[in-house]
Amino acid sequence: MIYLNNAGTSWPKPTSVDDAMMDFVHSSPDRWLDIFHEGIQEVTSFFHIQNEERFLFTQSCSQSLAVAFSDFPWEPGDRLIISSMEHHALSRWFYKLQQERSVEGIIIPRGEQGPIDLNRLEEELRKGARMVAMTMASNVTGEVLPYEQIITLSKQYGAVCILDGAQSAGIIPFDLTILDPDVFVFAGHKGPHGPQGIGGLYISDRISMVCPSAACEIVPGQKKMSVFPSYCDTGSAPMITIAGLTAGLKWLKQEGWEKLISHRKKLSEKLRTGLDSIPELEICGAHEYDQHTGAVSIQSKTRSLNQLKDHLKDHHQIFSSLGFQCTPLAHEAIGTSETGTLRFSVGPKNTTEELDILLDGLKEALADLN
C-alpha cells in the first residue's frame, strides 16, 4: 500500500511505538506511575512546556478542545473569533457557545494571498474579543496559518488565544515557551506518531477555569479546591496510548528535525508541482502561498473525484482521503462545499518513488476515463 493520508493519521508507526504499547500491556503495576511521568516529561520537553502541572493528557484533540471551551469562564456577550479554516472539533464549539452561552461569534475570512485575512482579524480585535481560537494549519489545504502573528495580535488586544496544533504538532517545530499561547491542544496520532486515542491539553497559568475540578489526591482532614481539569474529570489516563505517544516523540527526536523537515519539504514540493502540472486537476487553496504541511487537496475539472480515488486504490493500492475531512467550514471557504476534495498527505515514511506512482496513476486515470 502507498499510504497518503498522514493528515488523518500517521502510518506506518515506528516499531518502537508498537513495542512500547506491548511493553505496557505486560508491565507490572509498580511501573505504571513511572511510565506516566515519563510521558509527561517527554511531552512537556518536546513542546517546551515550562510547567508540567498545567498539562493534561486527553484521549483526543477533540476532547482537549471540549475541556478548554467548556471550562472557560464565558459571559454573555463575549466575542469569540475563529478562522474560516477550522476543523469541526473547534467550529462546533463556536456554534455551541453562541446557542448555549450567548457568545457572539466572528469568522475571519481567507485573505487574498493566504488562509486568513490578518487585517480583518485586527479590525475585529479592535472591537473587543474574549478569545481567538484557531488552527495552526489547515487539514484540507495544508496551508500553515500565521500563528505567531495571530498570537501577537491576540495579546495586543487582550484576547485569550487557543492554538489547535492537530496538524502542526510533530510536523512543524515550535517552542511553546517562545510562542506563549494561552491554550494549546494537539493530537498524538498524527505528526507525533503516537497511536489513536491520545491527545494533550496545555493551559497557561494566566488562564483561570471555572468548572469545579475533582481532587483525586486529598489528604484526610484537608480540603483541596481546584478548577483546573484533572484525570478525575476527563476519565482515567489513557496509559497504553501514553506509552505509545512517548515512543513516537522519542522517535521524532532521534530522526532529527532537519532531516524530517527537509524530507517533508522535498515530498511536498514534488507533490504540489506534479499535481499542478496536470491540466485536468486544480490544487485547492492560495496558489502563491508557500507555507504548507505535507497535505494537499485537489479537485478535478473533468472527472469525478470518487472515480479517481477508486482508480488509484484499485490499480495502484494508493490510500488517500476523499470528502470533507471533518472540516465543512473550510470547504465553504475554498468553494468545495458541494464536492469535497481528494486529499493526499505525505509523512516521513513516504518516498519520491511513491509520488511518481501517484502522479502517473492520476494521469492514467484521467486518460482511461475519457
Side-chain angles (χ1 to χ4, degrees), residues 20-32 35 239 243:
M21 294 174 70
M22 287 302 298
D23 180 63
F24 177 80
V25 169
H26 297 291
S27 66
S28 61
D30 61 357
R31 288 188 55 211
W32 294 351
I35 293 171
M239 289 297 300

Side-chain angles (χ1 to χ4, degrees), residues 109-251:
R110 291 178 59 83
E112 292 183 6
Q113 301 297 327
I116 184 171
D117 185 337
L118 287 175
N119 291 329
R120 179 69 178 277
L121 172 60
E122 185 166 13
E123 287 176 10
E124 292 297 340
L125 282 168
R126 285 198 191 100
K127 300 175 185 177
R130 189 73 185 280
M131 178 185 288
V132 173
M134 295 187 182
T135 184
M136 295 174 72
S138 168
N139 75 319
V140 179
T141 64
E143 295 164 312
V144 178
L145 276 71
Y147 53 86
E148 293 175 326
Q149 293 163 276
I150 290 168
I151 294 174
T152 298
L153 285 171
S154 299
K155 289 183 177 181
Q156 180 180 342
Y157 292 96
V160 170
C161 184
I162 291 183
L163 284 188
D164 179 353
Q167 293 295 318
S168 57
I171 298 171
I172 302 168
F174 51 83
D175 185 329
L176 288 184
T177 301
I178 296 173
L179 289 180
D180 196 26
D182 295 297
V183 179
F184 171 73
V185 299
F186 73 93
H189 68 103
K190 299 177 189 285
H193 278 72
Q196 292 175 317
I198 184 68
L201 167 65
Y202 163 73
I203 302 174
S204 164
D205 56 12
R206 296 187 297 269
I207 305 303
S208 298
M209 310 306 267
V210 291
C211 188
S213 175
C216 296
E217 300 293 337
I218 302 177
V219 177
Q222 295 183 9
K223 291 184 178 181
K224 184 179 180 181
M225 301 298 293
S226 174
V227 291
F228 190 80
S230 75
Y231 295 102
C232 293
D233 305 304
T234 61
S236 300
M239 289 297 300
I240 188 171
T241 51
I242 289 174
L245 174 62
T246 301
L249 292 177
K250 286 182 177 180
W251 179 82

